């Protein structure tokens, strides 16, 4: 409901109806809409960004790490089509409502931290040149990954997402524009 309607328009009553619970049942576990919202952000962030980051840490190259992260996010999308939309809107809501900004569960900050780590490791291993503009490369990759999340949440279906991420993999592997012989 938060991803669909936004923080302001999502009411406990609407959430209760959608989840097939009573409003008092929701209030029993969550004292306020802000507490419920924080829990949803935390769980969705863990499901998408944290699990993708963890899966990616097992890889040894930047491309492998980015591909693993994307694969984890696509796997979540196959089970929960609302996750990407919610994460995207949660960043917007944090801009509108200062009280919703919590650095420890900020999906965009967590994604940025993961990408910074992955790019830094690629520099250390010699995979990327040491003189690259680290902040610019990180932000470019964050923008690409966040754009894929926006697409997943609002534009295309799961089949389109799989096709697009497949093409993104080819781009990252420098195989998208290879000449056919």
């Amino acid at each position: 409901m938060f991803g669909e309607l936004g923080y302001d328009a999502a009411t406990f009553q609407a959430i209760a109806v959608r989840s097939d619970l009573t409003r008092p049942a929701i209030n029993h576990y969550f004292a306020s809409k802000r507490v419920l919202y924080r829990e949803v952000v935390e769980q969705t962030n863990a499901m998408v960004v944290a699990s993708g980051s963890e899966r990616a840490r097992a890889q040894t190259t930047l491309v492998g790490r980015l591909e693993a992260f994307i694969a984890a996010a696509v796997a979540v999308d196959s089970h929960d089509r609302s996750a990407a939309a919610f994460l995207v809107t949660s960043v917007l809501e944090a801009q509108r409502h200062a009280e919703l900004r919590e650095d420890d569960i900020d999906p965009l900050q967590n994604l940025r931290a993961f990408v910074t780590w992955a790019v830094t490791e690629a520099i250390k291993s010699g995979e990327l040149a040491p003189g690259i503009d680290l902040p610019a490369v990180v932000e470019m990759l964050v923008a690409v990954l966040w754009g894929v999340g926006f697409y997943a949440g609002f534009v295309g279906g799961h089949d389109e997402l799989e096709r697009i991420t497949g093409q993104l993999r080819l781009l990252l592997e420098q195989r998208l524009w290879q000449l056919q012989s």
Side-chain angles (χ1 to χ4, degrees):
M1 293 303 299
F2 290 123
E4 204 175 293
L5 301 175
Y7 179 78
D8 290 324
T11 63
F12 267 151
Q13 187 59 40
I15 293 166
V17 168
R18 177 68 63 89
S19 60
D20 200 26
L21 296 169
T22 65
R23 182 180 169 157
I26 294 172
N27 284 113
H28 176 75
Y29 293 101
F30 303 100
S32 69
K33 182 165 69 168
R34 182 174 174 266
V35 171
L36 173 59
Y37 184 82
R38 178 182 163 76
E39 182 66 25
V40 174
V41 171
E42 191 171 344
Q43 286 189 16
T44 308
N45 184 49
M47 186 171 57
V48 178
V49 180
S51 69
S53 298
E54 184 177 317
R55 186 171 172 179
R57 290 183 188 278
Q59 301 299 313
T60 59
T61 66
L62 177 60
V63 170
R65 289 173 175 142
L66 294 173
E67 287 178 347
F69 183 92
I70 292 166
V74 169
V76 170
D77 183 77
S78 73
H79 294 97
D80 184 353
R81 296 278 305 138
S82 67
F86 176 71
L87 285 179
V88 169
T89 61
S90 73
V91 172
L92 298 174
E93 294 293 0
Q95 296 302 312
R96 290 185 194 123
H97 301 282
E99 72 275 11
L100 298 179
R101 289 186 206 136
E102 310 228 10
D103 289 340
D104 60 326
I105 60 167
D106 180 342
L108 186 57
Q109 286 301 100
N110 292 337
L111 176 61
R112 187 173 285 118
F114 160 70
V115 172
T116 300
W117 169 81
V119 171
T120 301
E121 290 298 309
I123 293 168
K124 287 179 186 175
S125 73
E127 188 179 359
L128 292 177
I132 68 163
D133 184 347
L134 178 68
V137 170
V138 167
E139 288 306 306
M140 181 260 314
L141 290 171
V142 166
V144 168
L145 293 173
W146 208 252
V148 170
F150 178 82
Y151 184 88
F154 295 103
V155 180
H158 185 73
D159 291 340
E160 292 90 2
L161 177 62
E162 285 186 328
R163 288 197 334 265
I164 288 168
T165 57
Q167 295 303 302
L168 180 56
R169 283 185 195 102
L170 292 175
L171 178 66
L172 292 171
E173 294 168 354
Q174 300 180 19
R175 296 186 305 133
L176 186 62
W177 289 303
Q178 287 184 340
L179 297 175
Q180 299 288 327
S181 50

